[in-house]
């Protein structure tokens, strides 16, 4: 059994990697397609797809090289499925 989360139907699994400290948005390009968001609490979140375990370790090595403390690594749930469309029924009519 793999400890790596199941990917989304349309791509690889997504992660949030939270760091203590603020990274300038210019660092986003260094993290291979991940988005970089700073929070008011002084943390930075990297979010995005990670192809496999080797890629995840590569991202974590980049974090280590920056010297910022790692707070958490969290797999993100795939987008929830869309609800089925609502089809109104005319009064007095029943569905089969």
């Amino acid at each position: 059994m793999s400890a790596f989360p199941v990917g989304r139907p349309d791509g690889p699994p997504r992660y949030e990697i939270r760091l203590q400290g603020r990274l300038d948005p210019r660092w986003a390009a260094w993290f291979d397609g991940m988005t970089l968001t700073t929070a008011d609490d002084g943390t930075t979140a990297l979010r995005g797809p990670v192809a496999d375990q080797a890629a995840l370790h590569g991202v974590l090595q980049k974090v280590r090289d920056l010297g910022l403390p790692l707070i958490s690594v969290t797999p993100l749930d795939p987008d929830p499925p869309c609800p089925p469309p609502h089809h109104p029924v005319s009064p007095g009519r029943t569905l089969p």
Side-chain angles (χ1 to χ4, degrees):
M1 180 189 325
S2 171
F4 203 66
V6 175
R8 298 164 46 135
D10 60 342
R14 296 175 41 83
Y15 281 87
E16 177 185 86
I17 300 169
R18 188 161 293 277
L19 313 172
Q20 182 63 50
R22 292 180 181 262
L23 281 179
D24 190 90
R26 67 184 172 91
W27 285 98
W30 196 48
F31 285 101
D32 304 323
M34 298 186 91
T35 59
L36 190 148
T37 307
T38 56
D40 291 337
D41 64 357
T43 62
T44 299
L46 299 169
R47 289 184 193 90
V50 179
D52 54 25
Q53 284 285 316
L56 179 60
H57 283 271
V59 172
L60 294 174
Q61 285 176 347
K62 289 180 179 185
V63 167
R64 178 204 61 207
D65 292 347
L66 288 173
L68 294 176
L70 177 65
I71 295 174
S72 64
V73 177
T74 307
L76 299 175
D77 290 333
D79 294 331
C82 295
H86 176 69
H87 298 288
V89 177
S90 299
R93 201 168 155 214
T94 59
L95 292 176

